[in-house]
Amino acid sequence: MGILVVGSVAFDSIKTPFGEREEILGGSASYFSIAASYFADVSMVAVVGEDFPEEHISFFRRKGIDTSGLQRRQGKTFRWKGEYGYDLNTRTTLDTQLNVFADFSPTLLPAHRSQEYVFLGNIDPELQLSVLEQVKRPRMIACDTMNYWITSKKEALRKTLARTDLLIINDSEARQLAEEPNLILAARHILKLGPKTLVIKRGEYGALLFVGNSVFSVPAFPVQDVLDPTGAGDTFAGGVMGYLAASGAQDESALRKAVAYGTVMASLNVMNFGPLQLADLTFPEIESRYREFRKITVFDDPVPLRGQQP
Amino acid sequence: MGILVVGSVAFDSIKTPFGEREEILGGSASYFSIAASYFADVSMVAVVGEDFPEEHISFFRRKGIDTSGLQRRQGKTFRWKGEYGYDLNTRTTLDTQLNVFADFSPTLLPAHRSQEYVFLGNIDPELQLSVLEQVKRPRMIACDTMNYWITSKKEALRKTLARTDLLIINDSEARQLAEEPNLILAARHILKLGPKTLVIKRGEYGALLFVGNSVFSVPAFPVQDVLDPTGAGDTFAGGVMGYLAASGAQDESALRKAVAYGTVMASLNVMNFGPLQLADLTFPEIESRYREFRKITVFDDPVPLRGQQP
């Protein structure tokens, strides 16, 4: 089943302790689409400027991504510049130029309105709402957001959340959205705002899945050579939605597997700058890392012990 | 099989966002012993002052802990005072009074020299070495250490590590000991210093187990009401060693289960101040949380997906 993703396509300039890249392909829709493309058909809705090279569009198409919703506008493409600290856990934004993204107004092509899976990348909640008003009865609406929108567009975000099935955000966003430092209490609060399912991303520490009263917790896949964490969250979301669309299932077992696939995709992404590492994967490679991830996290049932106190 | 633990017994004064306690029972040997007592026979070697109340000793004995190695000396008991920040992840030590602990010199009773499992709590590596010189061929020697000893007693610590089977430390200690920020590379380095097995504690984010080239990663057990994280690391170690001693096994499957039991014990401990929450457990309660922990972390094998790219 097909996935519609609405988000940003950008040029990223990234500095990490392990290297530097200037104006490489970035943006939430890019990372998400590439990751999800290994599982399902993806249609991308985003905007780029006149300076966006044809080779990136060809790259998306080579990954089977439908780029008919990728608008090209007069002006320059969205640019972001950031630098990571020693342990890659702190990130400083050095420059943001919204350019054509400032006036992004997603108008869906007729073919895109009936997509069954919709992912609203981290954009203005008002734009997220306008997308939801254009789509017909999707099987699942997932969305991301960020601290900036939680503070500045509270009302619009509430309306988006009320129509969201699956919210995928990071831990600081969850704490801020719920105004509650304890993640479990924060999750309970957020599940009352609309989403039936909540995934909280914790970066190098893994992810939590909340469905009703049930909790699922996975660590990150341990990666020895992390070169660049940019896009890991969107790649994670691409793996989650990709798996859900491919399997067609929405039960808790499927949601857990989806989170595991998201973790696997993110772990592959951080091994190189930009979405490079994701460019030439094969599905058997993804499955192989998934199986390895299971091996790394599994432990056995208890066995009866002699000698313990009753 | 019996466990010998050498460490501190102290009075802790603790302030967290959820309350305050003055001079309650604390110290690495206390937390470790209480946790391990649910699995195996524990003998405690530590020192207290004249001010240490008989009721704490009775409490240890009620938990089946052999306190014949708990020396009482002229002077006052070790005191520690600390305060936790808003999210419990930062801790400030406000006061440390070593008192009788400053001259602690563990001399083992004959009955303790032949214990099969030995845990060297976070004390001066020279004292750890002196304990190792007194014990006879234990089946497993485990130890803990801290940043202070890594910096100030490098050589003695190297000698202790060379004779250690299982090292249980936290992530910042692992990074400092290996002088390597990447935890996986740090673990590889540490495994060359002596320990066959390394457990890295990550607080609220779980734990990693390294055995040879194999990695095992678990999240923490999600706890809604964390009141006081004091002693969680020693409680974790008590669960790990307790399970290993009770099962008698040392293979990777047993080590994984031991880490899971350590996680379970730590999650029970943080639900109240000091070792209170650990005082009145039953083994079925521990097993029940262990089973819940498995449920929370398990995900299924991949299933064949249609439509993914080859």
Side-chain angles (χ1 to χ4, degrees):
Chain A
M1 280 173 272
I3 305 174
L4 183 72
V5 50
V6 184
S8 60
V9 170
F11 288 129
D12 286 347
S13 295
I14 301 161
K15 192 174 174 182
T16 85
F18 308 105
E20 209 167 338
R21 294 292 186 280
E22 290 288 328
E23 305 215 333
I24 59 172
L25 179 62
S28 61
S30 302
Y31 282 100
F32 178 96
S33 300
I34 298 165
S37 74
Y38 287 95
F39 299 84
D41 293 331
V42 181
S43 301
M44 175 191 267
V45 173
V47 63
V48 293
E50 297 154 306
D51 55 355
F52 195 73
E54 208 42 60
E55 68 173 278
H56 288 340
I57 297 175
S58 308
F59 168 61
F60 287 139
R61 291 198 181 129
R62 217 161 50 237
K63 301 310 301 170
I65 299 164
D66 165 20
T67 56
S68 61
L70 183 63
Q71 311 159 31
R72 194 187 279 276
R73 285 286 151 86
Q74 271 208 327
K76 292 173 85 178
T77 301
F78 181 17
R79 275 164 172 76
W80 177 81
K81 188 173 182 172
E83 184 172 348
Y84 292 84
Y86 178 61
D87 65 0
L88 298 172
N89 268 333
T90 54
R91 178 165 92 173
T92 313
T93 290
L94 301 173
D95 192 27
T96 305
Q97 295 171 23
L98 290 176
N99 298 328
V100 295
F101 192 63
D103 304 311
F104 181 42
S105 165
T107 309
L108 303 193
L109 299 171
H112 292 159
R113 293 172 197 249
S114 46
Q115 292 279 24
E116 294 193 280
Y117 290 79
V118 175
F119 181 73
L120 304 169
N122 168 26
I123 55 174
D124 187 331
E126 291 178 18
L127 297 185
Q128 292 179 324
L129 273 175
S130 86
V131 172
L132 293 183
E133 272 148 31
Q134 297 173 64
V135 293
K136 297 177 190 159
R137 310 178 144 270
R139 290 193 62 190
M140 180 178 267
I141 296 168
C143 101
D144 186 9
T145 191
M146 70 185 287
N147 296 346
Y148 179 75
W149 307 122
I150 295 171
T151 316
S152 65
K153 293 281 176 95
K154 212 164 182 166
E155 265 320 294
L157 182 58
R158 290 236 164 202
K159 285 183 197 162
T160 302
L161 290 179
R163 298 172 66 174
T164 295
D165 300 297
L166 168 62
L167 178 65
I168 306 179
I169 53 180
N170 71 33
D171 40 8
S172 75
E173 290 155 359
R175 289 188 169 105
Q176 196 176 346
L177 181 57
E179 296 175 11
E180 163 60 53
N182 182 292
L183 274 188
I184 298 173
L185 296 178
R188 294 229 173 119
H189 179 84
I190 291 167
L191 290 177
K192 287 179 191 150
L193 302 178
K196 288 187 297 290
T197 306
L198 169 67
V199 174
I200 298 182
K201 299 173 285 182
R202 312 176 95 183
E204 64 158 320
Y205 300 116
L208 290 160
L209 165 73
F210 297 88
V211 194
N213 284 319
S214 162
V215 184
F216 171 57
S217 181
V218 275
F221 184 94
V223 175
Q224 183 173 315
D225 302 299
V226 178
L227 292 191
D228 174 21
T230 308
D234 298 306
T235 303
F236 174 91
V240 169
M241 289 295 281
Y243 175 77
L244 291 173
S247 71
Q250 298 192 10
D251 59 299
E252 193 180 333
S253 163
L255 287 164
R256 287 182 174 213
K257 278 188 263 191
V259 167
Y261 273 111
T263 302
V264 160
M265 296 309 290
S267 78
L268 291 163
N269 175 60
V270 299
M271 292 167 71
N272 211 329
F273 281 82
L276 267 186
Q277 194 73 24
L278 293 179
D280 299 307
L281 289 173
T282 63
F283 199 75
E285 284 174 290
I286 294 168
E287 279 211 307
S288 156
R289 182 163 286 203
Y290 181 101
R291 286 180 202 279
E292 208 182 328
F293 188 40
R294 273 203 82 211
K295 273 192 206 149
I296 282 170
T297 56
V298 75
F299 57 96
D300 295 333
D301 252 337
V303 287
L305 292 175
R306 280 171 310 164
Q308 76 272 13
Q309 294 188 4
Chain B
M1 279 173 271
I3 306 174
L4 182 73
V5 51
V6 184
S8 60
V9 170
F11 288 130
D12 286 348
S13 295
I14 301 161
K15 191 174 175 184
T16 84
F18 309 105
E20 209 166 339
R21 294 293 185 280
E22 289 289 327
E23 305 215 335
I24 58 172
L25 180 61
S28 61
S30 302
Y31 282 100
F32 179 96
S33 299
I34 298 165
S37 74
Y38 287 95
F39 299 85
D41 294 329
V42 181
S43 301
M44 176 192 266
V45 174
V47 63
V48 293
E50 297 154 307
D51 55 354
F52 195 73
E54 210 40 61
E55 69 173 277
H56 287 339
I57 296 174
S58 308
F59 168 61
F60 287 139
R61 291 200 181 126
R62 217 160 52 237
K63 300 312 298 172
I65 298 164
D66 165 21
T67 57
S68 60
L70 183 63
Q71 311 160 32
R72 195 187 278 276
R73 285 288 151 84
Q74 272 208 325
K76 293 174 83 179
T77 301
F78 180 18
R79 276 164 171 76
W80 176 81
K81 187 174 185 174
E83 184 171 350
Y84 292 84
Y86 178 62
D87 64 0
L88 299 172
N89 267 334
T90 54
R91 177 166 91 174
T92 313
T93 290
L94 301 173
D95 192 26
T96 305
Q97 294 171 21
L98 290 177
N99 298 328
V100 296
F101 193 63
D103 303 312
F104 181 42
S105 165
T107 308
L108 303 193
L109 298 170
H112 292 159
R113 294 173 197 250
S114 47
Q115 292 278 24
E116 293 194 281
Y117 290 79
V118 175
F119 181 73
L120 305 168
N122 169 26
I123 54 174
D124 186 330
E126 290 177 18
L127 297 184
Q128 292 179 324
L129 272 174
S130 87
V131 172
L132 294 184
E133 271 147 31
Q134 297 173 62
V135 293
K136 297 175 190 160
R137 308 179 144 271
R139 289 192 65 189
M140 181 179 265
I141 296 168
C143 102
D144 185 9
T145 192
M146 71 184 288
N147 297 345
Y148 179 74
W149 307 122
I150 294 170
T151 315
S152 66
K153 293 280 176 97
K154 211 165 185 168
E155 264 321 294
L157 182 58
R158 289 236 163 201
K159 284 183 197 162
T160 302
L161 290 179
R163 297 171 65 173
T164 295
D165 299 299
L166 167 62
L167 178 65
I168 305 179
I169 52 180
N170 72 32
D171 41 7
S172 75
E173 290 155 358
R175 289 187 169 105
Q176 195 175 345
L177 182 57
E179 295 176 10
E180 162 61 52
N182 181 292
L183 273 188
I184 298 173
L185 296 178
R188 296 231 170 118
H189 179 83
I190 291 167
L191 289 178
K192 287 180 190 150
L193 302 178
K196 288 188 295 290
T197 307
L198 169 67
V199 173
I200 298 180
K201 299 173 286 182
R202 312 176 94 183
E204 65 159 319
Y205 300 116
L208 290 161
L209 165 72
F210 296 88
V211 194
N213 283 320
S214 162
V215 184
F216 172 57
S217 181
V218 275
F221 184 94
V223 175
Q224 183 175 314
D225 302 300
V226 178
L227 292 192
D228 174 21
T230 308
D234 298 307
T235 303
F236 174 91
V240 169
M241 289 296 282
Y243 175 77
L244 291 173
S247 71
Q250 299 192 8
D251 58 301
E252 193 179 333
S253 163
L255 288 164
R256 287 181 174 214
K257 278 188 264 191
V259 167
Y261 273 111
T263 302
V264 160
M265 296 308 291
S267 79
L268 290 163
N269 176 61
V270 299
M271 291 167 70
N272 211 329
F273 282 82
L276 267 186
Q277 194 72 24
L278 293 179
D280 300 308
L281 289 173
T282 62
F283 200 75
E285 285 175 289
I286 295 168
E287 280 210 308
S288 155
R289 182 162 287 201
Y290 181 101
R291 286 180 203 279
E292 208 182 327
F293 188 39
R294 274 203 81 210
K295 272 191 207 150
I296 283 170
T297 56
V298 76
F299 57 97
D300 295 333
D301 253 336
V303 287
L305 294 173
R306 281 171 309 165
Q308 77 271 14
Q309 293 189 5

